[in-house]
Amino acid sequence: MQQVYLSRIAGHVGKSVTIKGWLQNRRAGGKVQFLLVRDGTGEIQVVVSAADVGQDVVEMVDHLGQESSIVVTGEVKEDKRAPGGYEMTAASIEVVQNAEGYPITPKEHKSPFLLDHRHLWLRSSRQRAILKIRAEVIRALRDFFDSRDFTLLDAPILSGAACEGTTTLFETDYFGNKAYLTQSGQLYQEAGIGAFGKVYCFGPTFRAEKSKTRRHLMEFWMLEPEVAYADLDDIMVLAEDMVASVVARVLETRQKELAVLERDTAMLEKVTTPFPRITYSEAVEHLRTGGLDIEWGKDFGGDEETILAKRFDKPVMVTRYPSALKAFYMSRDPEDEKLALCVDMLAPEGYGEIVGGSQRETSLEELEQRIAEHGLPKDAFQWYLDLRRYGSVPHSGYGIGLERTVSWICGIRHLREAIPFPRLMNRLYP
Ligand code: 4AD
Ligand code: MG
C-alpha cells in the first residue's frame, strides 16, 4: 500500500492508508493501545485493538519503546478530540526497529543533557516548532528579496580579508597561507552591486566570540543585502519592510508552531511599519534618564539594548553610533565626522540587535587610511579598493542575523535552540 504523509491525511478520510514514522507516545487501555505516531509532517493517534489485529499484536505493541520506528496500515477517521484531528484504526503494524531506553523522556531534562543529545532532542515538539519557524523565516526572507529584483550572490566561506575586525577571526591554514572563516559576506556583496545593482547573500558566518552569552553563537546564519545608489535611509526602509513581512508570514503560516511555543502573538501582530528611529545620542540620553551611568562613546551591551527596546513595542532602529565603535567600511556622517552613517535594529522584548548595517565609505583615500588604522593587511583588500576605483557609487547594506530573529519571533530565551546544531564556546558536539 502506498505511503501517505500525515500532512496530507485530510484527503484520505474513510480510506485505508500506510504511514511510516516513529512512536512518540503510547497509552494502554485494557485490550486497546493508543499510539501517537509522528512522521515528520504531522502526528496521528493510532488505535490498536485486539478485535482488529489480534491479542498478540496488542501485546507486542505493549513492549515498543518510545521512538521505535513503525509502519502502520489502517483506516483514517476524522476525530476532533484526537491530537491533529484524525485517528487511524490499525489493521497491521510492522516494527522497523524497536528503540529501547530512549534517553529523552517526557519528563524535564537539564539543558547540558539536552544539548549533548541535540541529535535526538530535535525530535521533540518544541524543537520541531522552532526549526519549522526557522525554515519559514528563511523562505520569507528569500521571497522578500527575490520578489524585489535582488540577485542572490553567494559569498565565499574561506576568505583572506577580515570584515568585522580581527578579534573574532577563526584562522585556518590555507596551503601555507592564512585563511579565515568568513565573518560576513558584505565585502563580496559590495563587489556584486557593480554587476547586479541589488544583491544578497545568505549563508553561515563565523565569529570566535570569547563570550558565553545567550545571544552569541560561534557559527550563525546571516542574510546580507547590498544596494547600489542607496543611502542609509533607503536601507532602513528596506530593513523594516523586510522584518514586517517576515513576521507577517510566520503569523500567517505558522500559527500551530507558535501555539506549541506558547508565543504571545499579540506582540508579533504589532510589528508593522514604520518602526521607530532614534539616534545613538538620543539613546544615551534615554539610558541616563533611566538612571544608567553611561558615557557618550561607549558601546551598548545586552543590558542597554534591552532597556532601549523596552520603550517600544516594535523593533527600534538606532542610528549614528560613534564611528570609533564601528567597522572600517562605514561612511562618516558629513554633519558630524565623529558619527557613522549606520543603523542597528533592536528587537522588542529584550532580544537585542537583529540587524546591523550602514552606508558604505566611497572614498579610496579614506578607506586606505582606515584599513591601516584598523591594522588590516593592505594586500588582502586591494580587490575591495578596486571597487572604489572603477565605477564607485554611493551604496548601503545590512546583515540580519537569522538565529536572533528566529529566537525573537519564537519567544525563546537562548539562541542555541534556534539553530539545528549550535556551535558554542564550549560545544562542538554533536
Ligand atoms: O552587526 P554585524 O556584525 O554586521 C555585519 O556583519 C555587517 N558586515 C553586515 C552587513 O552590513 N552586510 O552582524 C549583523 C547581525 C547582527 O545584527 C546580529 O543579528 C547577527 O548578525 N550576529 C550574531 N548572531 C549570532 N551570534 C553572533 N555571534 C552574532 N554576531 C552578529
Ligand atoms: Mg552589529
Side-chain angles (χ1 to χ4, degrees):
M1 195 166 295
Q2 215 187 339
Q3 178 185 5
V4 168
Y5 283 99
L6 290 171
S7 52
R8 302 289 159 101
I9 205 73
H12 296 269
V13 173
K15 297 193 191 113
S16 183
V17 301
T18 297
I19 60 162
K20 302 182 176 187
W22 293 266
L23 177 61
Q24 192 161 293
N25 216 333
R26 187 162 56 76
R27 183 158 71 71
K31 288 189 172 355
V32 186
Q33 292 267 349
F34 298 95
L35 315 182
L36 187 62
V37 180
R38 176 189 83 243
D39 77 349
T41 71
E43 294 167 3
I44 196 166
Q45 174 162 288
V46 175
V47 183
V48 186
S49 78
D52 299 318
V53 292
Q55 186 59 31
D56 25 327
V57 172
V58 176
E59 268 159 38
M60 180 275 287
V61 164
D62 199 32
H63 292 101
L64 285 181
Q66 184 189 339
E67 290 303 310
S68 289
S69 32
I70 55 175
V71 175
V72 184
T73 299
E75 199 181 302
V76 182
K77 279 196 214 114
E78 204 163 352
D79 185 344
K80 295 258 176 313
R81 293 157 308 164
Y86 299 91
E87 194 178 77
M88 233 175 122
T89 313
S92 72
I93 297 184
E94 180 199 333
V95 178
V96 179
Q97 195 244 336
N98 184 3
E100 283 171 59
Y102 185 68
I104 303 178
T105 55
K107 69 163 197 193
E108 290 264 325
H109 294 283
K110 293 233 153 56
S111 50
F113 178 86
L114 290 170
L115 285 164
D116 281 341
H117 293 86
R118 183 63 174 165
H119 49 297
L120 302 175
W121 187 25
L122 292 178
R123 303 180 191 187
S124 75
S125 58
R126 264 182 67 82
Q127 299 308 310
R128 280 185 286 129
I130 296 166
L131 295 175
K132 272 284 185 191
I133 291 173
R134 176 187 167 104
E136 192 67 55
V137 168
I138 294 172
R139 185 157 43 204
L141 282 169
R142 299 185 73 126
D143 286 348
F144 178 85
F145 289 103
D146 293 343
S147 67
R148 291 178 176 227
D149 301 329
F150 280 73
T151 298
L152 173 71
L153 188 79
D154 300 312
I157 304 278
L158 289 166
S159 176
C163 182
E164 297 298 322
T166 49
T167 54
T168 63
L169 285 171
F170 278 112
E171 191 181 302
T172 181
D173 172 64
Y174 197 73
F175 309 108
N177 291 313
K178 275 183 196 168
Y180 308 106
L181 297 183
T182 188
Q183 297 168 307
S184 157
Q186 177 195 323
L187 305 183
Y188 299 96
Q189 299 310 298
E190 289 188 59
I193 57 162
F196 301 102
K198 300 196 273 189
V199 290
Y200 73 96
C201 60
F202 176 55
T205 48
F206 306 85
R207 307 268 170 104
E209 308 261 13
K210 287 176 198 76
S211 62
K212 293 185 193 166
T213 83
R214 61 193 174 91
R215 289 178 183 168
H216 288 92
L217 296 167
M218 304 302 125
E219 179 177 317
F220 64 97
W221 285 62
M222 181 156 57
L223 189 146
E224 298 177 85
E226 194 72 29
V227 185
Y229 294 102
D231 64 14
L232 179 63
D233 289 333
D234 295 328
I235 56 137
M236 284 166 64
V237 171
L238 186 70
E240 65 185 350
D241 284 347
M242 171 193 71
V243 169
S245 93
V246 167
V247 170
R249 169 76 76 84
V250 173
L251 284 170
E252 185 194 319
T253 61
R254 294 289 158 207
Q255 281 295 334
K256 210 174 75 191
E257 285 77 10
L258 291 167
V260 168
L261 299 170
E262 295 171 3
R263 179 64 165 118
D264 175 6
T265 50
M267 291 303 288
L268 298 175
E269 304 278 359
K270 292 179 187 158
V271 182
T272 52
T273 59
F275 296 172
R277 291 149 160 80
I278 59 169
T279 64
Y280 168 87
S281 300
E282 287 164 357
V284 169
E285 275 313 306
H286 172 75
L287 292 170
R288 281 187 186 150
T289 330
L292 214 74
D293 185 23
I294 180 169
E295 253 172 79
W296 193 97
K298 216 186 134 257
D299 206 357
F300 298 150
D303 293 344
E304 287 85 3
E305 288 182 353
T306 302
I307 297 171
L308 287 170
K310 280 226 170 92
R311 262 178 83 186
F312 308 96
D313 50 17
K314 301 180 188 193
V316 53
M317 293 195 274
V318 185
T319 63
R320 293 175 167 79
Y321 284 68
S323 48
L325 297 175
K326 293 291 182 181
F328 76 95
Y329 52 72
M330 293 188 180
S331 280
R332 301 275 159 93
D333 184 351
E335 280 164 29
D336 184 349
E337 287 283 319
K338 287 195 306 299
L339 305 179
L341 288 179
C342 66
V343 59
D344 278 6
M345 186 193 289
L346 311 181
E349 303 170 77
Y351 283 90
E353 180 196 333
I354 52 172
V355 171
S358 71
Q359 193 166 317
R360 316 307 191 190
E361 181 56 60
T362 48
S363 151
L364 179 62
E365 295 69 36
E366 189 69 30
L367 276 175
E368 281 176 328
Q369 195 188 323
R370 302 243 196 102
I371 286 169
E373 279 167 13
H374 281 79
L376 297 166
K378 204 173 152 204
D379 292 347
F381 288 89
Q382 283 311 317
W383 67 267
Y384 182 71
L385 296 173
D386 267 355
L387 306 174
R388 307 305 190 262
R389 293 186 182 106
Y390 307 109
S392 178
V393 296
H395 62 289
S396 304
Y398 61 81
I400 175 166
L402 180 66
E403 290 75 15
R404 297 245 183 113
T405 307
V406 170
S407 299
W408 160 53
I409 293 177
C410 291
I412 55 174
R413 225 183 93 75
H414 202 300
L415 247 57
R416 65 192 170 200
E417 290 180 51
I419 186 163
F421 294 96
R423 295 293 170 244
L424 306 168
M425 204 176 156
N426 56 358
R427 179 167 298 278
L428 200 54
Y429 176 95

